[in-house]
Amino acid sequence: MVKKLVKWCKKLLSHEAPAIKQQAFFALLVALSMVAAVLLSFPSYAQNTPNRPQRSELRGAWLTNIDSDVLFERNRLQGALQSLKSLNFNTVYPTVWNWGWTLYPSKVAQRVIGRSLDPAPGLQRRDILKEIVTVGHQKGLTVIPWFEFGFMAPADSQLAKNRPQWLTSRRDGNKIWKEGTHNRVWLNPFHPEVQQFTQDLIVEIVRNYDVDGIQFDDHFGLPAELGYDAYTVALYKKEHRGQAPSTNAQDPEWVRWRANKITDYMKRVFKAIKATKRNCLVSVAPNPQRFSYESFLADWEKWERMGLIEELVLQIYRDDMNVFIQELESPEVKAAQSHIPVSVGIMSGLKGKFVPMQQIQTQVQKVRERNFAGVSFFFYETLWNVTGETPQQRQSGLLKIFPTPVAYPNLLAGWKP
């Protein structure tokens, strides 16, 4: 634009008296340079405004059966999908593995657990995954089932009772892992039978449903204090000339050995998914790298470098805006952004925790300023049902964030950083 103005000025000055040509030309150049400086001071705002035109952006929501009844009635589920579509969301992550049960009719679960479906009354004689895929696709939503519990199960679950040899433990033999008030146990991710069962569940979903991907989080790892069961200790000794693992659960070598084993399994699962359906995306929604690795032995930074992640949705559930921004700007996150669509999981609230719409809007803005691929909200119920603001206020606020529809940023369909 500035070049065109200069050319126009030269043409204008050609009609002036020769004595003033040079003086007038330089005066105009000074003026133009000042205008250009002002214009060029605005590009960051132009790029970062939350309503800027976008070719693609992840706009997701997690659907779960914890503190939420969205899955337990067909009309309610269809209404939720319609509401999300109307508010210009484009992706849903419905849980399919939770509380030691599958939430879809599963022959694999029937064989191992003795029941093919979560016994909740609202799920009987239904296939909610089929419902979500069918209705979701009709509405143009991307559907990526979420393997929510990973290797975790309730301590009193039928799975834990049926397969006690599959469970891992602390050094003192204690298997219980507290999650709030709940007693959990963890399936041993190093045990070949556990690995096969988990892979069979995943492949069953990918083979039998027209899903766009499948998602894991850091429950696909293991709490760092676990891994002292007899099977794992024997495996470690076999690979270390009879030496037992460190008694310190945070010993760097012991952490690395277990994390590498989980990475090896992630590679195996990735290959199994792709062998079943090549265009099925592998999505991971972990905590920030340090916590994910040190606390859950889930080294997603390494998974990403190995090409095992095709969508990363980083859980940054932080109220402190400085901490939130600090996590957005970590080196491993920036590195991943140059390879794959990296989006940010934002807390929209919990049953006992209200998150105001103003905070949600601010966090979305900070994400967009840093050119992330999009956002996903945890979780559906707190978007406008379980919250301290009216549904109208919440939905109006979401429409300000997502004023017009955009496409899902699909790595397998030509997404570029």
Side-chain angles (χ1 to χ4, degrees):
M1 185 179 74
V2 174
K3 286 182 178 179
K4 287 183 178 179
L5 281 170
V6 171
K7 188 175 180 181
W8 176 79
C9 289
K10 285 182 176 179
K11 186 177 180 182
L12 178 66
L13 286 168
S14 68
H15 301 291
E16 297 292 337
I20 64 168
K21 275 186 182 181
Q22 190 175 25
Q23 183 179 356
F25 180 66
F26 282 113
L28 279 166
L29 276 183
V30 170
L32 284 170
S33 67
M34 292 174 66
V35 171
V38 172
L39 289 173
L40 291 172
S41 69
F42 289 113
S44 60
Y45 174 81
Q47 291 170 1
N48 298 336
T49 176
N51 296 336
R52 74 189 190 282
Q54 291 160 302
R55 287 175 296 175
S56 68
E57 182 179 58
L58 173 66
R59 298 170 175 181
W62 281 283
L63 309 180
T64 180
N65 60 340
I66 300 175
D67 295 333
S68 175
D69 60 3
V70 66
L71 301 176
F72 296 124
E73 205 275 321
R74 184 177 284 104
N75 290 338
R76 186 184 297 121
L77 176 56
Q78 291 184 3
L81 296 173
Q82 177 57 53
S83 295
L84 290 168
K85 177 61 177 177
S86 298
L87 293 168
N88 297 317
F89 282 72
N90 57 23
T91 306
V92 288
Y93 300 103
T95 185
V96 287
W97 169 248
N98 224 339
W99 298 100
W101 307 109
T102 55
L103 280 84
Y104 65 94
S106 167
K107 291 181 180 179
V108 175
Q110 178 68 52
R111 183 177 71 246
V112 173
I113 303 171
R115 189 159 194 154
S116 66
L117 182 66
D118 186 314
L123 300 177
Q124 302 313 300
R125 293 178 297 280
R126 292 176 62 202
D127 184 340
I128 64 160
L129 183 53
K130 184 177 180 180
E131 291 173 24
I132 294 169
V133 169
T134 301
V135 176
H137 283 173
Q138 286 172 355
K139 299 184 183 303
L141 296 171
T142 296
V143 180
I144 300 179
W146 173 33
F147 210 70
E148 184 172 0
F149 262 43
F151 291 108
M152 185 175 71
D156 60 353
S157 63
Q158 196 64 45
L159 176 58
K161 293 174 182 176
N162 284 1
R163 296 289 193 278
Q165 73 275 18
W166 284 9
L167 306 182
T168 186
S169 63
R170 292 182 182 82
R171 186 167 169 262
D172 63 4
N174 183 7
K175 295 181 175 65
I176 301 298
W177 189 80
K178 297 291 287 189
E179 188 178 61
T181 60
H182 299 289
N183 288 334
R184 311 291 197 203
V185 291
W186 284 74
L187 305 180
N188 183 0
F190 316 117
H191 196 295
E193 292 179 4
V194 171
Q195 292 183 346
Q196 192 60 54
F197 167 66
T198 305
Q199 180 177 316
D200 288 347
L201 286 177
I202 294 164
V203 169
E204 180 179 53
I205 293 170
V206 176
R207 177 178 292 126
N208 296 335
Y209 297 88
D210 185 24
V211 298
D212 300 294
I214 192 156
Q215 186 179 77
F216 312 106
D217 59 26
D218 32 25
H219 284 134
F220 212 63
L222 181 72
E225 63 261 37
L226 303 177
Y228 287 95
D229 58 278
Y231 178 87
T232 305
V233 170
L235 180 61
Y236 183 90
K237 286 181 175 179
K238 181 181 178 181
E239 296 183 9
H240 292 81
R241 298 180 180 179
Q243 180 183 344
S246 173
T247 57
N248 173 15
Q250 287 293 339
D251 175 81
E253 193 279 332
W254 173 225
V255 168
R256 171 52 56 195
W257 183 83
R258 288 175 293 165
N260 283 345
K261 291 291 184 188
I262 291 170
T263 295
D264 290 343
Y265 182 61
M266 184 66 186
K267 183 177 180 181
R268 170 179 159 182
V269 166
F270 181 91
K271 288 182 175 180
I273 291 170
K274 293 302 179 180
T276 306
K277 184 180 180 183
R278 181 154 292 278
N279 65 342
C280 181
L281 284 157
V282 177
S283 174
V284 179
N287 275 275
Q289 169 65 17
R290 182 175 176 180
F291 181 87
S292 183
Y293 175 71
E294 293 181 356
S295 298
F296 284 97
L297 310 175
D299 191 358
W300 64 256
E301 180 183 9
K302 186 172 184 179
W303 302 352
E304 192 277 322
R305 288 201 312 266
M306 293 173 66
L308 304 179
I309 302 177
E310 294 167 318
E311 174 190 77
L312 182 66
V313 188
L314 196 63
Q315 298 177 34
I316 307 184
Y317 303 152
R318 307 287 189 271
D319 293 328
D320 185 316
M321 202 59 64
N322 291 327
V323 175
F324 181 83
I325 292 171
Q326 184 179 356
E327 296 290 3
L328 295 179
E329 296 180 346
S330 65
E332 63 273 12
V333 172
K334 289 183 177 181
Q337 280 183 276
S338 66
H339 307 143
I340 60 174
V342 179
S343 300
V344 177
I346 291 177
M347 175 73 72
S348 55
L350 297 171
K351 184 179 180 181
K353 175 183 171 64
F354 165 59
V355 176
M357 179 53 64
Q358 180 59 55
Q359 176 175 311
I360 293 170
Q361 290 174 329
T362 300
Q363 291 191 341
V364 172
Q365 172 71 6
K366 298 303 180 186
V367 168
R368 284 174 169 166
E369 286 173 1
R370 288 156 182 82
N371 296 315
F372 281 86
V375 295
S376 186
F377 296 114
F378 187 81
F379 59 110
Y380 166 78
E381 210 67 48
T382 57
L383 286 174
W384 58 79
N385 290 331
V386 179
T387 177
E389 295 165 330
T390 67
Q392 293 75 19
Q393 288 173 320
R394 300 289 279 195
Q395 292 185 356
S396 174
L398 289 166
L399 267 177
K400 289 179 181 177
I401 299 173
F402 304 146
T404 56
V406 294
Y408 166 81
N410 190 334
L411 180 70
L412 304 182
W415 175 90
K416 299 294 182 185

